Protein backbone atom coordinates (compact mmCIF):
# COMPACT_ATOMS: atom_id res chain seq x y z
CA UNK A 1 0.00 0.00 0.00
CA UNK A 2 1.27 3.46 -0.85
CA UNK A 3 -0.25 6.63 0.57
CA UNK A 4 0.54 10.29 0.06
CA UNK A 5 0.90 12.35 3.25
CA UNK A 6 2.00 15.92 3.91
CA UNK A 7 4.13 17.14 6.78
CA UNK A 8 2.10 16.90 9.97
CA UNK A 9 -0.22 14.27 8.57
CA UNK A 10 -0.40 10.72 9.87
CA UNK A 11 -1.32 7.16 9.07
CA UNK A 12 -3.05 4.92 11.60
CA UNK A 13 -2.17 1.22 11.62
CA UNK A 14 -4.23 -1.34 13.48
CA UNK A 15 -6.02 1.16 15.76
CA UNK A 16 -3.09 1.97 18.00
CA UNK A 17 -0.02 2.72 15.89
CA UNK A 18 0.27 6.21 14.47
CA UNK A 19 2.98 7.11 11.98
CA UNK A 20 3.42 10.84 11.36
CA UNK A 21 5.52 12.67 8.80
CA UNK A 22 7.35 15.19 10.98
CA UNK A 23 9.69 16.87 8.53
CA UNK A 24 10.85 16.58 4.95
CA UNK A 25 14.24 17.96 4.05
CA UNK A 26 15.71 17.03 0.67
CA UNK A 27 15.63 13.24 0.40
CA UNK A 28 15.38 12.75 4.17
CA UNK A 29 12.05 12.28 5.91
CA UNK A 30 11.66 12.42 9.68
CA UNK A 31 8.97 10.08 10.88
CA UNK A 32 7.31 10.02 14.28
CA UNK A 33 5.93 6.71 15.51
CA UNK A 34 3.46 6.44 18.34
CA UNK A 35 3.00 2.80 19.28
CA UNK A 36 2.27 0.71 22.37
CA UNK A 37 5.29 -0.48 24.35
CA UNK A 38 4.73 -4.01 23.18
CA UNK A 39 5.42 -2.97 19.59
CA UNK A 40 9.10 -3.02 18.73
CA UNK A 41 10.18 -0.38 16.23
CA UNK A 42 13.58 -0.51 14.57
CA UNK A 43 15.30 1.02 11.58
CA UNK A 44 15.12 -1.79 9.07
CA UNK A 45 18.85 -2.09 8.37
CA UNK A 46 19.65 -2.12 12.10
CA UNK A 47 16.97 -4.74 12.68
CA UNK A 48 18.42 -6.99 9.96
CA UNK A 49 21.96 -6.56 11.27
CA UNK A 50 20.86 -7.48 14.78
CA UNK A 51 19.05 -10.56 13.55
CA UNK A 52 22.14 -11.60 11.61
CA UNK A 53 24.44 -11.00 14.59
CA UNK A 54 22.19 -13.09 16.83
CA UNK A 55 22.09 -15.92 14.30
CA UNK A 56 25.87 -15.89 14.09
CA UNK A 57 26.11 -15.95 17.87
CA UNK A 58 23.68 -18.86 18.26
CA UNK A 59 24.93 -22.30 19.23
CA UNK A 60 28.72 -22.00 19.10
CA UNK A 61 30.55 -25.33 18.98
CA UNK A 62 31.79 -26.75 22.25
CA UNK A 63 35.42 -26.34 21.24
CA UNK A 64 34.96 -22.58 20.90
CA UNK A 65 33.26 -22.45 24.29
CA UNK A 66 36.14 -24.34 25.92
CA UNK A 67 38.63 -21.93 24.33
CA UNK A 68 36.60 -19.01 25.66
CA UNK A 69 36.62 -20.47 29.18
CA UNK A 70 40.39 -20.87 29.01
CA UNK A 71 40.69 -17.30 27.81
CA UNK A 72 38.60 -15.99 30.70
CA UNK A 73 40.51 -18.08 33.25
CA UNK A 74 43.78 -16.83 31.74
CA UNK A 75 42.79 -13.16 31.89
CA UNK A 76 41.94 -13.35 35.58
CA UNK A 77 45.25 -15.11 36.29
CA UNK A 78 47.20 -12.43 34.47
CA UNK A 79 45.58 -9.84 36.71
CA UNK A 80 47.36 -11.32 39.68
CA UNK A 81 50.58 -12.11 37.87
CA UNK A 82 51.25 -9.61 35.08
CA UNK A 83 54.64 -11.15 34.29
CA UNK A 84 53.26 -14.29 32.67
CA UNK B 1 15.16 -27.74 51.80
CA UNK B 2 14.50 -28.16 48.11
CA UNK B 3 16.40 -30.66 46.09
CA UNK B 4 19.30 -28.75 44.55
CA UNK B 5 18.69 -29.99 41.02
CA UNK B 6 15.03 -29.18 41.17
CA UNK B 7 15.80 -25.71 42.47
CA UNK B 8 18.28 -25.10 39.65
CA UNK B 9 15.91 -26.39 37.03
CA UNK B 10 13.10 -24.13 38.17
CA UNK B 11 15.11 -21.20 39.37
CA UNK B 12 17.10 -20.43 36.26
CA UNK B 13 14.37 -20.42 33.66
CA UNK B 14 14.01 -17.02 32.04
CA UNK B 15 10.91 -16.04 30.17
CA UNK B 16 11.66 -13.65 27.31
CA UNK B 17 8.97 -10.98 27.21
CA UNK B 18 10.19 -9.79 23.84
CA UNK B 19 12.23 -12.07 21.67
CA UNK B 20 15.90 -12.27 20.90
CA UNK B 21 15.85 -10.77 17.41
CA UNK B 22 15.72 -13.46 14.75
CA UNK B 23 14.37 -15.98 17.25
CA UNK B 24 10.79 -14.82 17.56
CA UNK B 25 9.39 -18.19 18.66
CA UNK B 26 11.83 -18.71 21.50
CA UNK B 27 10.36 -17.45 24.74
CA UNK B 28 11.88 -19.70 27.38
CA UNK B 29 15.56 -20.18 28.15
CA UNK B 30 17.60 -21.76 30.92
CA UNK B 31 20.40 -19.58 32.26
CA UNK B 32 23.41 -21.45 33.66
CA UNK B 33 26.96 -20.48 34.61
CA UNK B 34 29.69 -21.79 32.29
CA UNK B 35 32.46 -21.37 34.84
CA UNK B 36 32.93 -20.37 38.45
CA UNK B 37 33.84 -16.70 38.19
CA UNK B 38 30.34 -15.64 37.14
CA UNK B 39 31.64 -14.12 33.91
CA UNK B 40 30.35 -16.60 31.34
CA UNK B 41 26.81 -17.91 31.07
CA UNK B 42 24.91 -20.15 28.75
CA UNK B 43 21.38 -19.32 27.70
CA UNK B 44 19.77 -22.46 26.36
CA UNK B 45 16.36 -22.73 24.76
CA UNK B 46 13.94 -24.99 26.60
CA UNK B 47 11.96 -25.30 23.39
CA UNK B 48 14.53 -25.99 20.68
CA UNK B 49 17.17 -28.61 21.46
CA UNK B 50 20.67 -27.41 20.72
CA UNK B 51 19.90 -23.69 20.62
CA UNK B 52 22.29 -21.93 22.97
CA UNK B 53 23.74 -18.46 23.33
CA UNK B 54 26.89 -17.68 25.25
CA UNK B 55 26.55 -14.57 27.38
CA UNK B 56 29.10 -12.65 29.39
CA UNK B 57 29.08 -10.18 32.17
CA UNK B 58 30.56 -7.18 30.36
CA UNK B 59 32.62 -5.87 33.31
CA UNK B 60 35.78 -7.97 32.93
CA UNK B 61 36.01 -7.24 29.19
CA UNK B 62 34.54 -3.76 28.88
CA UNK B 63 34.97 -1.98 32.23
CA UNK B 64 33.66 1.32 30.82
CA UNK B 65 30.50 -0.21 29.41
CA UNK B 66 27.57 1.11 31.42
CA UNK B 67 24.88 1.94 28.89
CA UNK B 68 21.88 4.06 29.68
CA UNK B 69 18.76 1.95 29.38
CA UNK B 70 15.49 3.75 28.93
CA UNK B 71 12.85 2.71 31.39
CA UNK B 72 10.31 2.27 28.63
CA UNK B 73 12.60 -0.27 26.95
CA UNK B 74 12.52 -2.58 29.95
CA UNK B 75 8.96 -1.94 31.10
CA UNK B 76 8.02 -5.44 29.93
CA UNK B 77 10.19 -6.96 32.65
CA UNK B 78 7.82 -5.60 35.34
CA UNK B 79 10.88 -5.31 37.54
CA UNK B 80 9.22 -2.98 40.09
CA UNK B 81 12.49 -1.35 40.99
CA UNK B 82 14.33 -4.64 41.22
CA UNK B 83 17.97 -4.38 40.20
CA UNK B 84 18.41 -5.54 36.63
CA UNK B 85 21.24 -7.70 35.36
CA UNK B 86 22.93 -6.96 32.07
CA UNK B 87 24.74 -9.54 29.98
CA UNK B 88 26.15 -9.30 26.47
CA UNK B 89 25.85 -11.95 23.76
CA UNK B 90 29.17 -13.35 22.58
CA UNK B 91 29.94 -14.65 19.12
CA UNK B 92 32.67 -17.29 19.41
CA UNK B 93 32.58 -19.11 16.11
CA UNK B 94 36.31 -19.52 15.65
CA UNK B 95 39.66 -18.70 17.21
CA UNK B 96 39.38 -16.66 20.40
CA UNK B 97 40.94 -13.59 18.82
CA UNK B 98 37.90 -13.32 16.54
CA UNK B 99 35.39 -13.53 19.41
CA UNK B 100 33.11 -10.52 19.70
CA UNK B 101 30.49 -9.12 22.05
CA UNK B 102 27.28 -7.39 21.05
CA UNK B 103 27.32 -4.12 22.99
CA UNK B 104 24.52 -2.56 20.95
CA UNK B 105 21.83 -5.01 22.00
CA UNK B 106 22.49 -6.59 25.40
CA UNK B 107 20.29 -9.01 27.29
CA UNK B 108 18.63 -7.44 30.31
CA UNK B 109 17.28 -9.69 33.04
CA UNK B 110 15.03 -9.16 36.01
CA UNK B 111 16.41 -12.08 38.03
CA UNK B 112 13.66 -12.29 40.64
CA UNK B 113 10.91 -12.06 38.04
CA UNK B 114 12.65 -14.65 35.85
CA UNK B 115 12.08 -12.37 32.90
CA UNK B 116 14.42 -11.13 30.24
CA UNK B 117 14.61 -9.32 26.93
CA UNK B 118 17.09 -8.08 24.37
CA UNK B 119 17.31 -4.31 24.42
CA UNK B 120 18.38 -2.35 21.37
CA UNK B 121 20.17 0.63 22.90
CA UNK B 122 19.50 4.09 21.59
CA UNK B 123 23.22 4.91 21.39
CA UNK B 124 24.03 3.97 17.81
CA UNK B 125 27.77 4.31 18.34
CA UNK B 126 27.84 1.11 20.43
CA UNK B 127 29.38 -1.73 18.42
CA UNK B 128 27.47 -4.79 17.36
CA UNK B 129 30.74 -6.75 17.25
CA UNK B 130 33.25 -5.50 19.80
CA UNK B 131 36.40 -7.70 19.84
CA UNK B 132 36.87 -9.45 23.19
CA UNK B 133 40.56 -9.89 22.77
CA UNK B 134 41.56 -6.24 22.59
CA UNK B 135 39.29 -5.48 25.52
CA UNK B 136 41.30 -7.22 28.23
Amino acid sequence: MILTRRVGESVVIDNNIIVTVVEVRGDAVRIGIDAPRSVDVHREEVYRELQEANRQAASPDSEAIEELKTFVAGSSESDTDPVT
Amino acid sequence: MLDATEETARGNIVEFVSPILGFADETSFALAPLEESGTLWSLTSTQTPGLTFVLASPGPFFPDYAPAIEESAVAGLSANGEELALLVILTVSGPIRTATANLMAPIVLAPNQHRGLQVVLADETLPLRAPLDSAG
Side-chain angles (χ1 to χ4, degrees):
Chain A
M1 176 193 265
I2 296 175
L3 298 168
T4 302
R5 300 278 64 196
R6 297 177 189 284
V7 170
E9 293 181 340
S10 302
V11 170
V12 180
I13 302 170
D14 202 22
N15 296 318
N16 54 9
I17 300 168
I18 300 175
V19 179
T20 306
V21 178
V22 176
E23 185 185 355
V24 178
R25 192 181 290 171
D27 63 355
V29 180
R30 276 165 61 82
I31 295 168
I33 298 153
D34 188 0
R37 280 171 174 172
S38 59
V39 176
D40 284 332
V41 178
H42 303 284
R43 290 176 169 84
E44 187 191 3
E45 67 278 13
V46 174
Y47 177 73
R48 305 239 174 259
E49 275 178 37
L50 288 165
Q51 281 191 326
E52 181 57 26
N54 283 342
R55 290 200 189 105
Q56 285 171 358
S59 307
D61 62 49
S62 50
E63 203 174 305
I65 295 177
E66 287 310 312
E67 202 178 335
L68 178 67
K69 286 194 215 171
T70 310
F71 175 70
V72 167
S75 329
S76 50
E77 271 167 34
S78 65
D79 286 346
T80 55
D81 184 5
V83 180
T84 48
Chain B
M1 209 169 115
L2 279 168
D3 174 71
T5 347
E6 188 189 324
E7 175 64 12
T8 309
R10 276 193 319 145
N12 291 340
I13 299 296
V14 178
E15 179 209 344
F16 271 69
V17 295
S18 73
I20 295 178
L21 296 172
F23 296 87
D25 298 333
E26 303 292 338
T27 55
S28 174
F29 288 86
L31 182 70
L34 277 173
E35 36 77 55
E36 288 161 10
S37 76
T39 301
L40 299 176
W41 299 81
S42 64
L43 190 69
T44 304
S45 169
T46 64
Q47 297 160 288
T48 304
L51 176 61
T52 296
F53 293 92
V54 174
L55 309 183
S57 174
F61 304 107
F62 308 98
D64 298 332
Y65 180 66
I69 296 173
E70 287 171 39
E71 218 160 277
S72 63
V74 292
L77 295 176
S78 310
N80 303 322
E82 172 191 348
E83 195 168 333
L84 300 175
L86 185 141
L87 296 168
V88 292
I89 301 179
L90 302 187
T91 303
V92 288
S93 60
I96 193 69
R97 65 175 186 283
T98 66
T100 61
N102 179 349
L103 302 189
M104 187 200 276
I107 300 291
V108 178
L109 303 168
N112 295 337
Q113 306 288 338
H114 301 287
R115 292 202 182 103
L117 48 72
Q118 183 174 28
V119 174
V120 182
L121 297 172
D123 181 352
E124 289 177 12
T125 64
L126 289 168
L128 193 56
R129 294 181 180 84
L132 273 197
D133 211 4
S134 62

